[in-house]
Amino acid sequence: MDLSLQQLRGFVAVAEEQHFGRAAERLNMTQPPLTRQIQALERSLDVVLFERTGRGARITAAGTVLLEHCRRVLALLDAAPVATRHAAEGHTGTLRLGFTSIGAYAILADVLDLVKRRIPNVAVELSEMVSPEQFTALGDLRIDLGLVRPPIPEGYASVLIHSEDLVLAVPADHALAEGTAPVLLSEVTNNYIGYSPEGSRYLHDICAAMIGVDRYAVSQLTSQVPTMLALVRAGLGCALIPRSIMTMGVRGVRYRELAAADAHSVTLHACWSPDSPNPALHRLTDALTREGLPSVGAARG
């Protein structure tokens, strides 16, 4: 059954005005064509929609049901152009966001807060991935934005969103567990627990350069911070971790500042494909590029 938009609007006008003449005036048309529209609608539905009275038109029970549905349909049609423009401008839609487990502690809440402030009607889908997986997902357009560690491969756009110092995590019974003075890496006499070069190449290379590859506990390499801190707690070694991880507050693990001679910061970047067709992504990256995040540099020192 084909019902035209003109028929629906005519029907609603008559139902609300309860008069064919007034409804025709409202629609800027003459009464005879409107009457023919309603008659054709009644024939199509095989029901009586109005009882004609001397003073106008009284809607029937069948007409009341149709009126409810017509109002819904017309409301959706009236809203469609605005909704379409909002989607095209990035005000609505879905943003698929990738992040590393370490990055989640450092910056994820701030990024989600920026999304809430700048594009509040955009839904966010979260996926935890190590940085190499994120670069692949970005290239395949399976995610829109990644929170990644450098280096950033060619062909991607990025902006620095977070920088923080490394601190030393030691077992609670370690000789360096107590005290407030910054410590030197040379004071650590046992092995370090290292980052996996496959899952955390950036942190692996930085820490290996800081302490020397030969001092890594090669059998204890991980890209997951909870696992790393569990190994520290078990007394299997010490670890260099980004400062934001201290918020985990793992029982049996103490955190110490590094002396200036050994201090080193690590960075986290928002990364995306310039080829992405998602308008919400471009609205967010514009905000990131112009405003940045308050946490950039906030975790230093």
Side-chain angles (χ1 to χ4, degrees):
M1 180 181 298
D2 293 326
L3 301 179
S4 71
L5 183 59
Q6 187 178 33
Q7 282 180 316
L8 299 186
R9 292 196 187 280
F11 166 73
V12 171
V14 174
E16 292 178 348
E17 298 293 341
Q18 300 182 50
H19 194 280
F20 277 84
R22 290 195 298 270
E25 290 180 13
R26 170 173 153 182
L27 296 170
N28 295 315
M29 62 187 299
T30 59
Q31 182 175 333
L34 177 59
T35 300
R36 288 194 293 272
Q37 282 182 21
I38 300 302
Q39 291 171 341
L41 184 59
E42 289 178 320
R43 286 195 300 270
S44 296
L45 297 174
D46 195 24
V47 296
V48 175
L49 298 173
F50 296 103
E51 294 177 357
R52 280 67 170 176
T53 67
R55 295 184 177 181
R58 184 169 56 242
I59 194 167
T60 64
T64 300
V65 172
L66 179 62
L67 178 61
E68 180 182 348
H69 288 282
C70 286
R71 281 172 170 164
R72 276 202 223 113
V73 170
L74 293 174
L76 288 172
L77 288 173
D78 289 341
V82 175
T84 301
R85 286 195 298 271
H86 283 176
E89 294 167 357
H91 293 292
T92 60
T94 300
L95 183 75
R96 298 162 300 172
L97 177 62
F99 63 95
T100 65
S101 60
I102 300 175
Y105 291 97
I107 204 66
L108 183 58
D110 288 340
V111 173
L112 293 178
D113 180 66
L114 182 63
V115 171
K116 183 177 180 181
R117 288 189 286 110
R118 293 293 177 238
I119 43 176
N121 295 317
V122 171
V124 179
E125 295 179 358
L126 299 173
S127 299
E128 182 180 329
M129 309 176 185
V130 295
S131 293
E133 291 175 338
Q134 290 189 61
F135 293 130
T136 300
L138 286 168
D140 295 339
L141 300 181
R142 288 184 285 112
I143 62 173
D144 301 302
L145 185 75
L147 306 182
V148 298
R149 301 289 183 185
I152 309 297
E154 290 186 13
Y156 295 97
S158 66
V159 61
L160 171 68
I161 58 172
H162 186 69
S163 177
E164 61 182 325
D165 289 336
L166 293 173
V167 297
L168 184 68
V170 300
D173 59 357
H174 193 277
L176 297 176
E178 303 299 329
T180 58
V183 301
L184 290 165
L185 294 177
S186 59
E187 297 179 64
V188 179
T189 56
N190 56 342
N191 285 328
Y192 285 90
I193 298 166
Y195 293 91
S196 165
E198 291 79 20
S200 299
R201 167 62 66 180
Y202 172 70
L203 290 172
H204 172 276
D205 290 350
I206 285 178
C207 293
M210 290 172 67
I211 63 179
V213 176
D214 58 329
R215 301 189 66 195
Y216 263 64
V218 178
S219 62
Q220 308 295 344
L221 295 177
T222 178
S223 59
Q224 301 299 322
V225 169
T227 302
M228 178 174 284
L229 293 181
L231 297 177
V232 172
R233 179 185 176 188
L236 298 181
C238 301
L240 291 169
I241 64 166
R243 182 184 299 279
S244 57
I245 305 302
M246 293 169 60
T247 59
M248 289 184 67
V250 178
R251 185 169 58 88
V253 176
R254 301 289 183 270
Y255 303 104
R256 298 298 306 275
E257 300 288 341
L258 293 177
D262 289 328
H264 201 294
S265 63
V266 292
T267 61
L268 193 69
H269 301 249
C271 180
W272 63 96
S273 171
D275 297 329
S276 173
N278 189 340
L281 167 68
H282 300 301
R283 184 167 288 274
L284 178 61
T285 55
D286 285 346
L288 283 170
T289 302
R290 290 195 314 270
E291 305 171 26
L293 291 174
S295 56
V296 176
R300 294 178 61 83

Short mmCIF file of all heavy atoms in Angstrom, two decimals, residues 3 7-9 11-12 41 65-76:
data_model
loop_
_atom_site.label_atom_id
_atom_site.label_comp_id
_atom_site.label_asym_id
_atom_site.label_seq_id
_atom_site.Cartn_x
_atom_site.Cartn_y
_atom_site.Cartn_z
N LEU A 3 1.16 5.12 0.59
CA LEU A 3 0.56 6.31 1.19
C LEU A 3 1.50 7.47 0.93
O LEU A 3 2.68 7.41 1.28
CB LEU A 3 0.36 6.12 2.69
CG LEU A 3 -0.53 4.95 3.12
CD1 LEU A 3 -0.62 4.89 4.64
CD2 LEU A 3 -1.92 5.07 2.51
N GLN A 7 -0.84 12.93 1.47
CA GLN A 7 -2.04 12.37 2.10
C GLN A 7 -1.92 12.39 3.62
O GLN A 7 -2.87 12.72 4.33
CB GLN A 7 -2.25 10.92 1.63
CG GLN A 7 -2.85 10.79 0.24
CD GLN A 7 -3.03 9.33 -0.14
OE1 GLN A 7 -2.13 8.50 0.09
NE2 GLN A 7 -4.18 9.01 -0.73
N LEU A 8 -0.76 12.01 4.12
CA LEU A 8 -0.57 11.97 5.57
C LEU A 8 -0.70 13.36 6.18
O LEU A 8 -1.36 13.54 7.22
CB LEU A 8 0.81 11.37 5.92
CG LEU A 8 1.06 9.92 5.46
CD1 LEU A 8 2.40 9.42 6.00
CD2 LEU A 8 -0.07 9.00 5.90
N ARG A 9 -0.08 14.34 5.55
CA ARG A 9 -0.15 15.70 6.08
C ARG A 9 -1.59 16.23 5.99
O ARG A 9 -2.07 16.91 6.90
CB ARG A 9 0.80 16.62 5.33
CG ARG A 9 2.27 16.31 5.57
CD ARG A 9 3.17 17.46 5.13
NE ARG A 9 4.58 17.12 5.21
CZ ARG A 9 5.29 17.14 6.33
NH1 ARG A 9 4.70 17.48 7.48
NH2 ARG A 9 6.57 16.82 6.31
N PHE A 11 -4.36 14.40 6.07
CA PHE A 11 -5.14 13.70 7.08
C PHE A 11 -4.93 14.30 8.47
O PHE A 11 -5.89 14.54 9.21
CB PHE A 11 -4.77 12.21 7.08
CG PHE A 11 -5.26 11.47 8.29
CD1 PHE A 11 -6.61 11.18 8.42
CD2 PHE A 11 -4.39 11.10 9.31
CE1 PHE A 11 -7.08 10.51 9.55
CE2 PHE A 11 -4.84 10.44 10.43
CZ PHE A 11 -6.19 10.14 10.55
N VAL A 12 -3.67 14.56 8.83
CA VAL A 12 -3.36 15.12 10.15
C VAL A 12 -4.00 16.51 10.29
O VAL A 12 -4.55 16.86 11.34
CB VAL A 12 -1.84 15.19 10.39
CG1 VAL A 12 -1.52 15.98 11.65
CG2 VAL A 12 -1.28 13.78 10.48
N LEU A 41 -7.56 8.06 0.60
CA LEU A 41 -6.90 7.40 1.74
C LEU A 41 -7.86 6.41 2.38
O LEU A 41 -7.46 5.28 2.72
CB LEU A 41 -6.46 8.46 2.75
CG LEU A 41 -5.67 7.98 3.97
CD1 LEU A 41 -4.39 7.26 3.55
CD2 LEU A 41 -5.34 9.17 4.88
N VAL A 65 -6.32 5.93 15.61
CA VAL A 65 -5.14 5.05 15.57
C VAL A 65 -4.19 5.52 14.47
O VAL A 65 -2.98 5.61 14.66
CB VAL A 65 -5.56 3.59 15.36
CG1 VAL A 65 -4.32 2.71 15.13
CG2 VAL A 65 -6.34 3.09 16.56
N LEU A 66 -4.75 5.81 13.29
CA LEU A 66 -3.91 6.25 12.18
C LEU A 66 -3.22 7.57 12.51
O LEU A 66 -2.06 7.79 12.15
CB LEU A 66 -4.75 6.40 10.91
CG LEU A 66 -3.99 6.88 9.66
CD1 LEU A 66 -2.91 5.88 9.28
CD2 LEU A 66 -4.96 7.10 8.49
N LEU A 67 -3.93 8.46 13.21
CA LEU A 67 -3.37 9.77 13.54
C LEU A 67 -2.10 9.61 14.39
O LEU A 67 -1.09 10.31 14.16
CB LEU A 67 -4.40 10.59 14.30
CG LEU A 67 -3.95 11.98 14.77
CD1 LEU A 67 -3.55 12.85 13.58
CD2 LEU A 67 -5.04 12.64 15.61
N GLU A 68 -2.12 8.70 15.33
CA GLU A 68 -0.95 8.48 16.17
C GLU A 68 0.25 8.05 15.34
O GLU A 68 1.37 8.56 15.52
CB GLU A 68 -1.27 7.43 17.24
CG GLU A 68 -0.12 7.12 18.17
CD GLU A 68 -0.46 6.04 19.19
OE1 GLU A 68 -1.66 5.70 19.32
OE2 GLU A 68 0.47 5.52 19.85
N HIS A 69 0.03 7.13 14.41
CA HIS A 69 1.12 6.65 13.58
C HIS A 69 1.60 7.73 12.61
O HIS A 69 2.81 7.88 12.37
CB HIS A 69 0.69 5.40 12.80
CG HIS A 69 0.54 4.18 13.65
ND1 HIS A 69 1.61 3.43 14.09
CD2 HIS A 69 -0.57 3.58 14.16
CE1 HIS A 69 1.19 2.41 14.81
NE2 HIS A 69 -0.13 2.48 14.88
N CYS A 70 0.66 8.49 12.05
CA CYS A 70 1.05 9.54 11.11
C CYS A 70 1.90 10.60 11.78
O CYS A 70 2.88 11.10 11.20
CB CYS A 70 -0.19 10.18 10.51
SG CYS A 70 -1.03 9.17 9.28
N ARG A 71 1.55 10.97 12.99
CA ARG A 71 2.33 11.96 13.72
C ARG A 71 3.76 11.47 13.95
O ARG A 71 4.72 12.23 13.84
CB ARG A 71 1.66 12.29 15.05
CG ARG A 71 0.49 13.25 14.91
CD ARG A 71 -0.26 13.41 16.21
NE ARG A 71 -1.23 14.50 16.14
CZ ARG A 71 -2.24 14.67 17.00
NH1 ARG A 71 -2.40 13.78 17.99
NH2 ARG A 71 -3.07 15.68 16.86
N ARG A 72 3.88 10.19 14.26
CA ARG A 72 5.23 9.62 14.45
C ARG A 72 6.03 9.68 13.16
O ARG A 72 7.20 10.06 13.16
CB ARG A 72 5.12 8.18 14.94
CG ARG A 72 4.94 8.04 16.43
CD ARG A 72 5.38 6.65 16.90
NE ARG A 72 4.41 6.16 17.86
CZ ARG A 72 3.59 5.14 17.68
NH1 ARG A 72 3.61 4.47 16.53
NH2 ARG A 72 2.74 4.78 18.60
N VAL A 73 5.40 9.26 12.07
CA VAL A 73 6.09 9.24 10.77
C VAL A 73 6.51 10.65 10.37
O VAL A 73 7.66 10.89 9.96
CB VAL A 73 5.19 8.62 9.69
CG1 VAL A 73 5.80 8.83 8.30
CG2 VAL A 73 4.98 7.14 9.95
N LEU A 74 5.61 11.60 10.51
CA LEU A 74 5.92 12.97 10.11
C LEU A 74 6.98 13.59 11.00
O LEU A 74 7.83 14.37 10.53
CB LEU A 74 4.64 13.82 10.13
CG LEU A 74 3.59 13.44 9.09
CD1 LEU A 74 2.32 14.24 9.28
CD2 LEU A 74 4.13 13.64 7.67
N ALA A 75 6.96 13.25 12.29
CA ALA A 75 8.00 13.76 13.19
C ALA A 75 9.37 13.24 12.79
O ALA A 75 10.37 13.98 12.81
CB ALA A 75 7.67 13.37 14.64
N LEU A 76 9.43 11.95 12.43
CA LEU A 76 10.70 11.37 11.98
C LEU A 76 11.18 12.02 10.69
O LEU A 76 12.37 12.33 10.54
CB LEU A 76 10.56 9.86 11.79
CG LEU A 76 10.43 9.02 13.06
CD1 LEU A 76 10.11 7.58 12.71
CD2 LEU A 76 11.72 9.09 13.86
#
